[in-house]
Amino acid sequence: MSSSISVEKAPHVHPTRMRHIPDDDLFAALGGDSRAWRRRLPFPAGLPAAGADALLGAEVDFLDKGHGRSRLYGFHYLRWMTPLVAAYAESGDQRYADEWERLFRQWYASRDLVEGDWPGLDVVWYSLGVCARSMYVTQALAVLGEAVGEECWKEMMKTVLGGARWAAEEHDEFRHGNWQFATVCELLHTARVFEELPEAEGWAQIAKARIHEHLERDVRADGGHHERSPGYHGMCLDALKRAAAVEPELAAHPRYLAMQDWLAALMTSGGWVPHLQDSGIVWPEGVEPAEGSLNLEASGYAVFRSDIFHTVINYGPYVGHELEPHSHHAALDFVISGWGVPLAWEAGGPPSYDDPGYYDWYQATRAHNTLLVPGHDYTEDRRAACDLFSTTRELDVFKGHHHGYPSRHDRTIVFVRDQGYWVITDRIEAEAIWQVHGLSPWVRHGDGYVSERGPGLLVVPLEPPEQVVLGNGPARIPDPVTRTAEYGEIHSLGLRRRDGRFTVGLFPFTDEPPTIPDGWTVHADRR
């Protein structure tokens, strides 16, 4: 979406109903001025206590554009302040409540002055900001209670009340997207936690109507969120769980259950979901990997699965939405894991949308395991499709094509289940570079190329390339032991041929390169 187009309604921040609510109006809505928490407890939100001490006495400039074009918006979610709430809950130490009060009141006093650089998008009064602050400030109200002063408490209550009023007006009709889905879920949570407010039932009715529309129109038939990103899917599912905690009937909705099944389908034996499209690594809680190979047709992901190996093939559409489309410029690309770790990997999502490599690395075709056609831009209207998905005890087979280049690209991927290797055949009427990325540099090994260290892959082309192109770039690397995914380096192997015809075998190993099975080329697509 062009940054010149506003992604939300024209500004509708009422000066006294939302932005600066008078004390009398606040107390009239609450029916009193008691700071004691007598409501149901909110669904927990925020970061753990680690890091709270580093915030004590910290000097913060809430107007500083040095945070970055996009990160400035995220900074005003106030999530970074929530360790203070967790630390107070654990210790009862008044220092943490005092520090929250000091920082929150600074934010409240400066919020009208902050200016963002996304045209038409207010830093404070936009969906994700309102949604996030409602989560974190509601949690702080419940935990801190009378540990903060009267003025701070009023400003916190006004933040939640004004935000709910704004969200109810902003989302009076359906619009696709993770912002909208998450925000209406939080509006329902707010309505049920603060059910004594005169407007609460009206908010709840608006929120429930939108949530049901999102479940029917923003969640695909296979359970995947519209944008096809595991990270944003997880964000929407977490928001839905938060809403279901106060509105239990939502947990019985078929799409709610399907959203959890979608993560299970993509989940590896290491407990993580790959960072497909704009996404981080997702570590689902309370979800076990699905059994067997399957095809998520509505989302455009084919999954091969054995006891050891896991493959995801992307053949879905390019989905444009909001300020930045979360789809990448690649189709028929794949990721492979084995023994719980990546073997064939991709760039995934960036650490920030302000990252200088966002467009020419993370979203770019060159950071994905597919064909790159030099001199041609990859079109968004790629019309990718699955032509065949077949799974038996011996073989999993995927055949697909796309039109992202002037010439059609056809790809066949065969997974030989019992021996545990892949044969990939590509055809395009153009000079092309066949790409795969691994966790270590590639070195020549016989007729192929091997990861410098294991676990890794031996890559064997049936016909030798005319040129070998090597490169590297950043990507998150999941660690199933620590359940973290810090940024590291991935290494690209490119095999260039003028005729655009490739047959390549991928043979996994843990320590030493394997012996290539006899007759592996029988699985090549001879078209």
Side-chain angles (χ1 to χ4, degrees), residues 34-117:
S34 172
R35 282 183 280 159
W37 188 267
R38 298 188 180 91
R39 306 171 181 89
R40 73 167 78 192
L41 289 175
F43 194 77
L47 296 169
D53 287 348
L55 294 172
L56 297 175
E59 294 299 324
V60 177
D61 182 355
F62 288 97
L63 310 182
D64 182 11
K65 290 191 176 183
H67 292 292
R69 188 187 195 194
S70 295
R71 279 184 164 173
L72 179 63
Y73 289 77
F75 184 72
H76 282 260
Y77 296 174
L78 306 186
R79 183 172 182 259
W80 57 272
M81 287 172 50
T82 59
L84 295 166
V85 178
Y88 179 82
E90 291 178 7
S91 67
D93 189 330
Q94 184 63 33
R95 293 180 304 155
Y96 299 120
D98 291 345
E99 191 61 31
W100 169 275
E101 178 167 355
R102 181 180 73 86
L103 291 171
F104 185 84
R105 297 208 66 198
Q106 284 182 9
W107 170 79
Y108 195 85
S110 64
R111 65 199 171 111
D112 292 346
L113 304 176
V114 63
E115 295 181 355
D117 290 332

Side-chain angles (χ1 to χ4, degrees), residues 131-148:
C131 170
R133 284 190 303 277
S134 177
M135 292 167 55
Y136 305 136
V137 176
T138 297
Q139 180 74 10
L141 282 163
V143 171
L144 300 178
E146 296 180 346
V148 296

Side-chain angles (χ1 to χ4, degrees), residues 2-319:
S2 169
S3 61
S4 64
I5 300 174
S6 176
V7 298
E8 300 204 285
K9 286 184 175 183
H12 55 95
V13 187
H14 194 279
T16 56
R17 290 189 63 252
M18 301 173 190
R19 191 185 298 274
H20 295 289
I21 300 173
D23 289 355
D24 290 347
D25 290 355
L26 173 66
F27 295 140
L30 291 173
D33 61 354
S34 172
R35 282 183 280 159
W37 188 267
R38 298 188 180 91
R39 306 171 181 89
R40 73 167 78 192
L41 289 175
F43 194 77
L47 296 169
D53 287 348
L55 294 172
L56 297 175
E59 294 299 324
V60 177
D61 182 355
F62 288 97
L63 310 182
D64 182 11
K65 290 191 176 183
H67 292 292
R69 188 187 195 194
S70 295
R71 279 184 164 173
L72 179 63
Y73 289 77
F75 184 72
H76 282 260
Y77 296 174
L78 306 186
R79 183 172 182 259
W80 57 272
M81 287 172 50
T82 59
L84 295 166
V85 178
Y88 179 82
E90 291 178 7
S91 67
D93 189 330
Q94 184 63 33
R95 293 180 304 155
Y96 299 120
D98 291 345
E99 191 61 31
W100 169 275
E101 178 167 355
R102 181 180 73 86
L103 291 171
F104 185 84
R105 297 208 66 198
Q106 284 182 9
W107 170 79
Y108 195 85
S110 64
R111 65 199 171 111
D112 292 346
L113 304 176
V114 63
E115 295 181 355
D117 290 332
W118 282 110
L121 193 65
D122 193 291
V123 173
V124 173
W125 297 96
Y126 94 108
S127 289
L128 280 185
V130 167
C131 170
R133 284 190 303 277
S134 177
M135 292 167 55
Y136 305 136
V137 176
T138 297
Q139 180 74 10
L141 282 163
V143 171
L144 300 178
E146 296 180 346
V148 296
E150 176 80 9
E151 293 304 312
C152 180
W153 173 81
K154 287 190 293 187
E155 290 170 356
M156 291 165 68
M157 282 300 312
K158 291 174 184 180
T159 297
V160 174
L161 176 59
R165 288 170 171 171
W166 182 91
E169 288 188 7
E170 177 69 22
H171 297 284
D172 59 354
E173 61 182 5
F174 173 81
R175 293 199 307 279
H176 278 296
N178 64 77
W179 295 14
Q180 293 77 7
F181 199 168
T183 302
V184 294
C185 287
E186 182 57 26
L187 179 61
L188 179 57
H189 183 272
T190 302
R192 293 307 189 215
V193 169
F194 296 93
E195 59 188 358
E196 81 277 13
L197 297 176
E199 299 157 86
E201 187 55 35
W203 300 339
Q205 294 307 313
I206 291 170
K208 287 196 293 183
R210 296 294 87 74
I211 290 170
H212 281 281
E213 288 172 337
H214 278 283
L215 286 168
E216 296 299 329
R217 300 172 61 183
D218 217 10
V219 177
R220 298 174 185 267
D222 56 20
H225 181 255
H226 175 71
E227 294 170 80
R228 306 181 60 246
S229 157
Y232 286 106
H233 175 101
M235 184 185 94
C236 292
L237 180 56
D238 286 346
L240 189 58
K241 289 178 179 178
R242 189 170 167 85
V246 296
E247 196 78 13
E249 67 180 32
L250 290 173
H253 195 289
R255 292 284 170 89
Y256 176 93
L257 303 173
M259 289 181 77
Q260 298 181 79
D261 292 342
W262 191 84
L263 289 177
L266 294 171
M267 190 176 182
T268 71
S269 62
W272 46 271
V273 175
H275 53 194
L276 310 167
Q277 316 303 327
D278 272 354
S279 177
I281 305 298
V282 177
W283 303 86
E285 296 288 344
V287 176
E288 294 296 325
E291 295 183 2
S293 300
L294 49 87
N295 189 10
L296 298 170
E297 294 184 55
S299 295
Y301 289 120
V303 182
F304 299 161
R305 187 190 301 275
S306 68
D307 291 342
I308 298 174
F309 301 111
H310 181 266
T311 309
V312 180
I313 305 161
N314 165 42
Y315 67 91
Y318 184 96
V319 181

Side-chain angles (χ1 to χ4, degrees), residues 279-501:
S279 177
I281 305 298
V282 177
W283 303 86
E285 296 288 344
V287 176
E288 294 296 325
E291 295 183 2
S293 300
L294 49 87
N295 189 10
L296 298 170
E297 294 184 55
S299 295
Y301 289 120
V303 182
F304 299 161
R305 187 190 301 275
S306 68
D307 291 342
I308 298 174
F309 301 111
H310 181 266
T311 309
V312 180
I313 305 161
N314 165 42
Y315 67 91
Y318 184 96
V319 181
H321 180 64
E322 295 171 347
L323 298 182
E324 298 290 356
H326 293 307
S327 292
H328 287 186
H329 294 275
L332 309 187
D333 53 311
F334 60 89
V335 291
I336 295 172
S337 68
W339 303 286
V341 299
L343 300 177
W345 205 220
E346 294 185 332
S352 162
Y353 296 123
D354 299 318
D355 192 287
Y358 179 47
Y359 297 108
D360 66 3
W361 172 249
Y362 292 100
Q363 282 209 344
T365 313
R366 71 187 184 98
H368 297 79
N369 300 324
T370 188
L371 290 190
L372 177 67
V373 176
H376 288 282
D377 291 331
Y378 191 95
T379 63
E380 295 175 1
D381 183 19
R382 57 203 187 194
R383 289 173 288 145
C386 172
D387 301 315
L388 172 69
F389 178 84
S390 172
T391 181
T392 68
R393 286 192 304 173
E394 294 79 23
L395 300 175
D396 288 341
V397 180
F398 168 87
K399 293 186 179 185
H401 70 273
H402 74 83
H403 298 272
Y405 294 120
S407 296
R408 167 172 159 155
H409 171 203
D410 285 271
R411 166 166 275 186
T412 299
I413 302 179
V414 177
F415 174 48
V416 183
R417 298 178 62 86
D418 57 344
Q419 294 176 281
Y421 66 87
W422 299 259
V423 179
I424 303 174
T425 307
D426 289 280
R427 300 289 184 263
I428 190 170
E429 296 299 322
E431 182 174 1
I433 301 173
W434 189 99
Q435 299 183 131
V436 67
H437 300 74
L439 300 193
S440 63
W442 301 93
V443 295
R444 190 66 187 262
H445 182 85
D447 293 330
Y449 307 85
V450 69
S451 306
E452 196 171 68
R453 63 178 184 272
L457 293 172
L458 171 60
V459 178
V460 181
L462 181 61
E463 299 292 339
E466 289 142 9
Q467 182 185 6
V468 175
V469 182
L470 301 175
N472 56 64
R476 291 180 177 93
I477 312 297
D479 182 343
V481 176
T482 61
R483 291 179 64 84
T484 58
E486 301 299 328
Y487 277 90
E489 191 171 55
I490 59 173
H491 301 265
S492 59
L493 170 67
L495 310 177
R496 188 168 188 156
R497 288 183 60 86
R498 284 190 293 270
D499 63 5
R501 300 175 69 85

